[in-house]
Structure formats: C-alpha cells, structure tokens
C-alpha cells in the first residue's frame, strides 16, 4: 500500500509498512525487527558465549547518569544494583552529572569499574534537566569519551537493576522498547504530534515507542544521536515548542529515520509498579516507584 505525503513543498512517496509486533498472536516474543535487528530477550543469547566474544576486545563501556536536585536519593540503589548486575567483569566508567557532588554515595566499585563526578548547575525545571542530557552527552563525548570509551549508555537514575545487563546489549546503536507501549497501536503512541515540532511523527508512522531512559551504542553513533537531538531541541526551543516528552520525543524521531541496530526488549526497561507479564521472563532494569510531586522541582 502506498500513500503520498506533502512535505516542504515537494511530494515524497513513502511506502507504508505495518507496525511491527513485539509479541506475536501466539503469545511468543518477536526476536527480530522487520529491518533485521535483533530484539534482545531472555533465551535469545548465551551469556557465557557472548561475554567470551567481548572479553577478547578489552572494551570500556561509559555510562552517563544524571542526578540533580532530589534525584540524588536514587543514586545509592542505582549504583549498588548496577555493581551487582551491570557489565560485571567488564570495564565500566560511570560519568555522574550532579549539582550536589557531596551527595554522591561512597561505594566500593567492582574491579575495572570507576566513577567520575561531573558538577553541573542546578535547574528548577525537570523538563530542562531531562532534555539537557542530550547536550551534556554530546559535549562529554567530544571532550572525553572519544578517547576513553568504546561504547556508551545513557541511563535514567530513578531505576534499579534486578538482573543481568551485559554484553548482549552491545551494538552500534541501541534503543529500548518502552514497557508501557509495546502492545499499543502506534497511532496512540505518545509521539509528538504537532507538525511545528522537529519531533513530529505522523499517526501512520512509527515502529516502536522507545524509552528515553536508555540510549546506547558505539561512542560515535551515540554522538550522532545526542548532537542531532540537541540541534532539534534547539530549533524547537527557538520557537518556544517543547515536545510532548522532551528529548524522548526527539529520540523517537531519530530512531524512526536511523533505525537501531539492536533493540532491547522491555526486560531492559520495566516499571516497578507494572505487574510482570507472561512474555517477560526476567526483569533486568526497572523504574522505581517515585512520588513525582516529592522528587521533582516543578509540576
Ligand atoms: C522510563 C523512561 O523512558 N523515562 C523517560 C520519561 O519519564 P521519567 O518520568 O522517567 O523522567 P524522570 O523524571 O526520571 O527524568 C529523567 C532523568 O532526568 C534526571 N532528573 C530528572 C529530574 C530531576 O529533578 N533531576 C534529575 O536528575 C534523572 O536522571 C532522571 O532519571 O520521559 C523523560 C522525558 O521527559 C525521559 O525521557 C525519561 O528517560
Ligand atoms: Mn525516570
């Protein structure tokens, strides 16, 4: 089926494709995207084998985490649970952005793991904090990660690890399927729907709804994500438009045209308040329950 779409004065012919499923009608999980990227679920990989491949490569995985304002309270559980589950046995370098370095818990990290605190100014709008992560990630990659790491993940801090998150998650460009929308028709995805925004996605388009809590991949590929989203956020800001879900909306737009080379299933981004479903055999990383009014600087 074809449809035409008017854009920038010209007519662009696009082939419409069906929305890809995440769980089949038989209840079994789908393990490959229609563009042939793996979707990582428990049972699709052998952890021992996949670790042995990356062991030979002596890789470093940079991990950026932001904890500003009251979100420093999440650091202890985040870091402690990461040390139990996140790339155990591999070189991990956390870059922790905070406005309160004195609130960073002192932890003994596992072998090969290190943590650098980066002090940043406070902000009184949570939306500003989350969307500015793109710019800070872009700058960090330019100034340091280009020389210091092979892969990078950007992760939300209001989270906990409950299971292995390891080398199976590595690849050129990585996105995670948001746990709230993997069985939702795409026209109901909370994409940005105003054409004035750079994050705009029409109702008939979209593959998955990706969570903004996880972005990963090779340093140079994540650099392109961060730089592009930062530029798009700047264009919107100049027009006083803020996308529905800030940088998450821009990330979804980026992934629509630059498909991830590997997709992490909702095992890699669950929500503590969401009951486990049949298809999810293990919860690896999950958003903790938070009282929004109590932890955010503004409504
Ligand atoms: C599960 C998921 O995909 N979450 C996304 C979602 O809501 P969330 O409700 O998960 O957003 P959130 O409040 O956790 O903010 C995202 C992150 O910004 C940081 N932060 C935020 C507020 C603050 O006062 N201090 C602070 O440090 C912190 O690292 C936090 O984890 O939408 C946001 C965009 O608006 C982000 O894309 C989140 O990644
Ligand atoms: Mn969060």
């Amino acid at each position: 089926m074809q449809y035409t779409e008017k854009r920038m004065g010209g007519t662009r012919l696009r082939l419409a494709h069906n929305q890809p499923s995440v769980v089949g009608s038989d209840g079994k999980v789908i393990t490959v995207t229609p563009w042939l990227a793996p979707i990582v679920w428990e049972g699709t990989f052998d952890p021992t084998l996949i670790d042995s491949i990356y062991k030979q490569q002596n890789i470093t995985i940079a991990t950026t985490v932001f904890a500003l304002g009251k979100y420093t309270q999440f650091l202890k559980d985040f870091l402690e649970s990461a040390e139990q589950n996140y790339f155990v046995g591999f070189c991990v370098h956390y870059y922790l952005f905070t406005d309160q370095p004195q609130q960073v818990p002192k932890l003994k990290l596992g072998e090969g793991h290190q943590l650098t605190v980066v002090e940043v100014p406070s902000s009184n709008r949570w939306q500003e904090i989350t969307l500015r992560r793109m710019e800070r990630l872009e700058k960090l990659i330019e100034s340091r990660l280009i020389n210091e790491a092979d892969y990078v993940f950007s992760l939300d801090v209001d989270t906990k690890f409950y299971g292995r998150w390891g080398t199976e998650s590595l690849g050129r460009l990585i996105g995670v399927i948001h746990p709230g929308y993997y069985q939702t028709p795409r026209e109901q995805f909370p994409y940005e729907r105003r054409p004035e925004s750079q994050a705009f996605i029409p109702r008939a388009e979209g593959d998955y709804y990706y969570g903004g809590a996880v972005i990963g991949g090779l340093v140079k590929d994540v650099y392109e994500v961060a730089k592009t989203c930062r530029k798009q956020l700047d264009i919107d800001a100049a027009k006083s438009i803020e996308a529905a879900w800030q940088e998450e909306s821009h990330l979804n737009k980026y992934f629509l045209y630059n498909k991830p080379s590997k997709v992490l299933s909702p095992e890699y981004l669950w929500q503590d308040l969401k009951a486990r479903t049949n298809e999810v055999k293990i919860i690896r990383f999950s958003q903790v329950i938070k009282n929004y009014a109590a932890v955010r600087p503004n409504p």
Side-chain angles (χ1 to χ4, degrees):
M1 194 187 47
Q2 293 183 336
Y3 72 97
T4 54
E5 181 193 301
K6 286 255 185 221
R7 189 173 275 198
M8 293 186 184
T11 303
R12 194 158 65 106
L13 189 64
R14 290 181 60 87
L15 284 176
H17 63 81
N18 292 331
Q19 177 182 356
S21 307
V22 177
V23 180
S25 47
D26 56 2
K28 292 213 174 80
V29 298
I30 308 291
T31 60
V32 64
T33 71
W35 60 91
L36 297 176
I39 306 178
V40 186
W41 295 92
E42 179 72 355
T44 60
F45 62 92
D46 178 335
T48 310
L49 186 154
I50 209 153
D51 278 353
S52 73
I53 296 171
Y54 285 95
K55 267 287 175 212
Q56 306 163 32
Q57 300 181 16
N58 194 26
I59 50 164
T60 296
I61 302 117
T63 301
T64 60
V65 198
F66 289 74
L68 282 82
K70 298 200 176 115
Y71 278 57
T72 53
Q73 67 188 263
F74 299 116
L75 277 171
K76 188 167 184 287
D77 281 358
F78 174 90
L79 288 168
E80 279 179 359
S81 64
E83 284 303 291
Q84 295 300 313
N85 297 292
Y86 184 69
F87 290 105
V88 175
F90 288 84
C91 293
V92 171
H93 193 156
Y94 302 100
Y95 296 82
L96 202 165
F97 291 77
T98 183
D99 54 350
Q100 302 153 85
Q102 72 286 359
Q103 296 292 329
V104 177
K106 302 268 174 294
L107 290 180
K108 194 172 156 8
L109 300 178
E111 207 186 318
H113 288 205
Q114 57 171 316
L115 188 150
T116 300
V117 175
V118 184
E119 190 167 359
V120 290
S122 308
S123 172
N124 52 17
R125 274 192 83 232
W126 68 266
Q127 295 90 338
E128 195 65 28
I129 295 172
T130 89
L131 68 83
R132 293 263 286 171
R133 290 186 294 177
M134 287 295 188
E135 181 188 341
R136 297 216 160 100
L137 180 58
E138 177 191 5
K139 297 285 178 302
L140 180 75
I141 294 176
E142 281 173 2
S143 63
R144 299 191 62 163
L145 302 191
I146 285 290
N147 303 312
E148 295 179 10
D150 301 282
Y151 294 92
V152 54
F153 276 99
S154 158
L155 301 175
D156 263 25
V157 74
D158 55 327
T159 50
K160 249 174 110 166
F161 292 87
Y162 295 106
R164 174 196 159 102
W165 178 317
T167 53
E168 73 283 359
S169 68
L170 295 175
R172 187 180 60 75
L173 182 61
I174 310 297
V176 68
I177 298 175
H178 194 294
Y181 303 98
Y182 68 88
Q183 285 170 314
T184 303
R186 64 184 166 192
E187 55 279 8
Q188 292 169 31
F189 284 166
Y191 290 153
E192 174 54 54
R193 302 299 188 180
R194 292 167 297 175
E196 308 80 66
S197 168
Q198 298 300 308
F200 169 64
I201 298 178
R203 298 261 167 206
E205 290 189 45
D207 303 310
Y208 307 107
Y209 189 78
Y210 298 97
V214 178
I215 311 170
L218 288 171
V219 168
K220 87 171 179 18
D221 290 85
V222 175
Y223 181 65
E224 286 307 314
V225 178
K227 188 174 69 175
T228 306
C229 291
R230 191 267 305 156
K231 284 185 180 164
Q232 306 288 62
L233 282 155
D234 283 350
I235 296 171
D236 274 13
K239 295 195 267 181
S240 299
I241 300 173
E242 189 170 273
W245 287 100
Q246 293 78 34
E247 85 304 337
E248 182 176 78
S249 305
H250 289 273
L251 179 70
N252 273 279
K253 178 68 171 273
Y254 186 89
F255 281 157
L256 180 57
Y257 296 108
N258 306 272
K259 308 284 191 208
S261 65
K262 189 182 268 184
V263 174
L264 303 180
S265 73
E267 293 171 2
Y268 292 80
L269 182 62
W270 201 250
Q271 291 166 322
D272 283 0
L273 56 74
K274 189 176 162 76
R276 201 171 63 76
T277 53
N278 269 339
E279 54 278 1
V280 172
K281 303 293 176 230
I282 167 174
I283 293 167
R284 304 171 190 279
F285 184 59
S286 182
Q287 292 267 310
V288 300
I289 296 168
K290 62 180 190 282
N291 177 343
Y292 285 88
V295 296
R296 284 179 167 174
N298 64 301

